[in-house]
Amino acid sequence: HFILLSGIAGLLAGACSMAAGEYVSMRSQCEFFQYQIELEKEELELYPEEEAAELAHIYRARGIPSEEAQQMANDIIANPAVALNTLAREELGLSPDELGSPFGAAAASFLAFAAGAFVPMIPFLMRFEHAALFYSLGLTVLSLLIVGATLSLFTNRSAIVSGLRMLLIGAAAGGVTFFIGKLAGVVLQ
């Protein structure tokens, strides 16, 4: 019961911490991007010719002939809503409509952490008694290998290398946590 209670407490504390951190990070990023877009909007209102010249320069750098690039830029700048959207994309590399959701990022982070933290608890929930620790370790190792190997599908890297890397990272994190717990236990006794 102690291990299960500690696991649930750790799962919830870690998941909430990860969600809060992700929310703050994403919120700050969105606010920064919105600030950048607002600056671009001000520049567009105050200096439309300069903004058109910047946009034309971007298009020329992409290989569009000079006159055509300038005409495209002038046409875009003539419509302020389109101009702001285009400048945000072309100059800042941002899509104003796709800045992300702090709540969505926080929820995803919470769920991902909770799912990962739940895996080692499964054998204890199934009451494997004395073997629960070994099943928990085995299930955790297997999960880390699978997650690492799955990530290789998106990185075009070796599934074995990615799986082993994930296992090593997980083992290092678990080892550090274990030794901090041991140290805290010695200090607090």
Side-chain angles (χ1 to χ4, degrees):
H1 293 298
F2 178 74
I3 292 173
L4 214 53
L5 183 60
S6 297
I8 292 169
L11 182 152
L12 291 174
C16 287
S17 175
M18 292 295 289
E22 190 65 31
Y23 176 84
V24 169
S25 173
M26 189 66 158
R27 183 73 187 179
S28 299
Q29 178 180 311
C30 285
E31 288 172 354
F32 174 74
F33 290 159
Q34 288 167 343
Y35 173 71
Q36 294 293 313
I37 292 169
E38 282 301 314
L39 286 178
E40 200 61 43
K41 183 178 180 183
E42 285 178 29
E43 290 175 6
L44 183 60
E45 290 170 359
L46 295 173
Y47 314 108
E49 295 84 17
E50 287 83 354
E51 292 299 307
E54 285 180 26
L55 197 53
H57 178 73
I58 291 169
Y59 291 147
R60 281 192 302 276
R62 292 186 180 159
I64 296 175
S66 187
E67 286 183 27
E68 188 178 340
Q70 191 61 55
Q71 184 60 48
M72 286 173 58
N74 290 340
D75 290 346
I76 290 169
I77 297 297
N79 183 335
V82 171
L84 181 60
N85 196 312
T86 303
L87 285 166
R89 287 177 193 274
E90 300 293 349
E91 202 174 316
L92 304 174
L94 300 174
S95 174
D97 300 328
E98 300 170 9
L99 295 181
S101 164
F103 288 110
S109 188
F110 181 94
L111 293 173
F113 185 93
F118 183 72
V119 169
M121 293 175 37
I122 294 171
F124 293 98
L125 287 169
M126 296 178 73
R127 300 185 185 272
F128 280 122
E129 300 299 321
H130 301 294
L133 178 61
F134 296 107
Y135 285 126
S136 179
L137 285 170
L139 198 53
T140 301
V141 165
L142 182 63
S143 296
L144 289 167
L145 288 169
I146 289 171
V147 167
T150 302
L151 290 174
S152 74
L153 297 173
F154 304 102
T155 61
N156 200 28
R157 306 260 185 210
S158 164
I160 293 170
V161 170
S162 293
L164 290 173
R165 181 177 59 202
M166 182 65 78
L167 177 60
L168 288 173
I169 291 169
V176 168
T177 304
F178 175 79
F179 286 115
I180 289 172
K182 278 292 239 190
L183 183 65
V186 168
V187 171
L188 295 175
Q189 287 183 2

